[in-house]
Amino acid sequence: MGRYVVRRLLQMIPVFIGSTFIIFMMMYALPGDPVRALWGERAPDEAQMAAMRRDLGLDDPILVQYWNYITGLVQGDFGTQIRSRREVIDVISEALPATLRLTALAFLITAVVGISLGLLAGLRAGKKTDRGILFVSLLLISVPVFVIGYLYQTYFGIKWGWISPTVRDSENWGELLLPALALASLSLAYVTRLTRTSIVENRRADYMRTARAKGLPQQRVIGTHLLRNSLIPVVTFLGVDLGNLMAGAIVTEGIFNINGIGRAVYTALNAREGATVVGIVSFIIVVYLVVALLVDLLYAVLDPRIRYA
């Protein structure tokens, strides 16, 4: 197990470098001068602009800038905002709690509701319940998240008044429920269909016939044998999807007025704050890689046949 973890950690290094390099190059390839943007409509002071570029290292070749960034990142330095001179890690620390709460709630909805619906559809495959669940899941997959978000906001929040249409307090879990439902919609549909397919396939497996032949109770056959083996591909998807939920929060936070990571990225893009965008995306990449590692290690718990060299 220890050797496997070390090997996976080493494999993460080129993935991390490649991902941050692409994001870094994309941000600095965008048109416009972030230093010139500080003057707005006013005539810029060329001397001050040159001094700022020199101080920020923007005069260096792009590869030198990336090297400086990545070496700082290893030491926990996510960069500095050009306009406000704030550390990017402070921006992340301020916005992260709201995004984590939103992502955690959306992930919980995805896992609990998606697996439950998938299990129900799989056990009743070919019946009306199965067809109804498949229809709803296909509908959720077909509609973009931002459309679902606006629909939830319009009907649940404004027309029917069941819940606040915008989030005024991101620490209030009740106000986060509506955006979490919108954020989880697509993932929930995929988890439902994936669980349903896996359940249907495993119900025909030899070990299921053996379990029934032994006379085991139906509850134990489903809970211990069927569900446990059927969840392996679902856990893989959920692990990958956690990073997608954090990235998808950019749209959802904008619709429901949540001051989280997504909103910070949106604001930084409008202000041409490349350092902020690269810093936040780098942080999300780290989270994504760590979760992927934890999911791989979880396989051994779900399926004892899996052994790590």
Side-chain angles (χ1 to χ4, degrees):
M1 177 68 84
R3 291 175 59 187
Y4 175 79
V5 173
V6 172
R7 194 163 64 242
R8 284 301 312 272
L9 289 173
L10 292 176
Q11 289 172 353
M12 287 180 180
I13 294 175
V15 174
F16 178 74
I17 292 176
S19 304
T20 53
F21 181 77
I22 291 172
I23 296 298
F24 191 89
M25 291 300 170
M26 286 177 63
M27 286 308 306
Y28 284 86
L30 290 176
D33 184 346
V35 176
R36 171 66 182 82
L38 296 177
W39 272 260
E41 299 297 328
R42 295 174 292 134
D45 185 318
E46 295 296 337
Q48 285 188 3
M49 286 177 60
M52 287 191 68
R53 288 197 185 94
R54 187 169 55 253
D55 292 342
L56 294 168
L58 298 178
D59 286 341
D60 295 332
I62 188 69
L63 290 179
V64 174
Q65 291 184 44
Y66 176 72
W67 173 254
N68 292 334
Y69 172 73
I70 203 70
T71 51
L73 197 60
V74 172
Q75 302 170 45
D77 180 8
F78 282 77
T80 305
Q81 286 189 325
I82 295 175
R83 184 178 296 272
S84 65
R85 308 299 293 170
R86 286 184 69 193
E87 296 288 333
V88 174
I89 190 64
D90 293 338
V91 178
I92 295 175
S93 301
E94 185 178 294
L96 186 61
T99 299
L100 285 182
R101 281 190 288 272
L102 176 64
T103 304
L105 192 54
F107 185 79
L108 186 65
I109 292 171
T110 299
V112 175
V113 179
I115 292 175
S116 299
L117 289 177
L119 176 61
L120 181 62
L123 293 176
R124 302 182 67 81
K127 298 182 179 177
K128 286 184 180 178
T129 305
D130 179 34
R131 289 196 290 272
I133 291 174
L134 287 177
F135 173 77
V136 173
S137 64
L138 184 61
L139 190 66
L140 291 176
I141 291 173
S142 306
V143 182
V145 171
F146 70 90
V147 175
I148 292 176
Y150 280 120
L151 287 175
Y152 286 175
Q153 192 178 47
T154 301
Y155 285 96
F156 295 127
I158 299 174
K159 288 193 174 181
W160 298 336
W162 290 356
I163 196 168
S164 172
T166 57
V167 176
R168 288 163 294 190
D169 178 10
S170 64
E171 295 184 0
N172 186 330
W173 290 91
E175 291 190 3
L176 287 176
L177 182 59
L178 201 58
L181 279 171
L183 181 60
S185 296
L186 181 62
S187 303
L188 186 152
Y190 281 127
V191 168
T192 298
R193 297 177 77 88
L194 188 59
T195 305
R196 185 255 181 202
T197 303
S198 189
I199 290 286
V200 171
E201 289 179 353
N202 281 295
R203 284 183 71 188
R204 297 192 290 263
D206 291 339
Y207 69 86
M208 287 297 295
R209 282 191 287 272
T210 304
R212 293 194 192 97
K214 286 181 177 177
L216 295 177
Q218 182 71 0
Q219 187 175 6
R220 186 175 174 186
V221 172
I222 294 175
T224 305
H225 297 277
L226 177 61
L227 192 57
R228 185 172 182 175
N229 287 286
S230 301
L231 283 183
I232 294 175
V234 180
V235 168
T236 305
F237 177 84
L238 287 173
V240 174
D241 194 55
L242 188 57
N244 293 335
L245 287 175
M246 288 193 71
I250 293 175
V251 177
T252 310
E253 288 177 359
I255 295 172
F256 292 94
N257 194 34
I258 303 172
N259 289 319
I261 290 288
R263 183 115 183 209
V265 171
Y266 180 77
T267 305
L269 282 171
N270 282 336
R272 286 281 292 124
E273 281 284 356
T276 306
V277 176
V278 174
I280 292 175
V281 173
S282 299
F283 178 81
I284 293 176
I285 291 171
V286 171
V287 172
Y288 192 88
L289 292 174
V290 171
V291 171
L293 175 63
L294 294 177
V295 169
D296 284 350
L297 297 179
L298 190 59
Y299 284 165
V301 178
L302 288 173
D303 189 350
R305 294 171 299 180
I306 297 176
R307 291 289 181 269
Y308 299 110

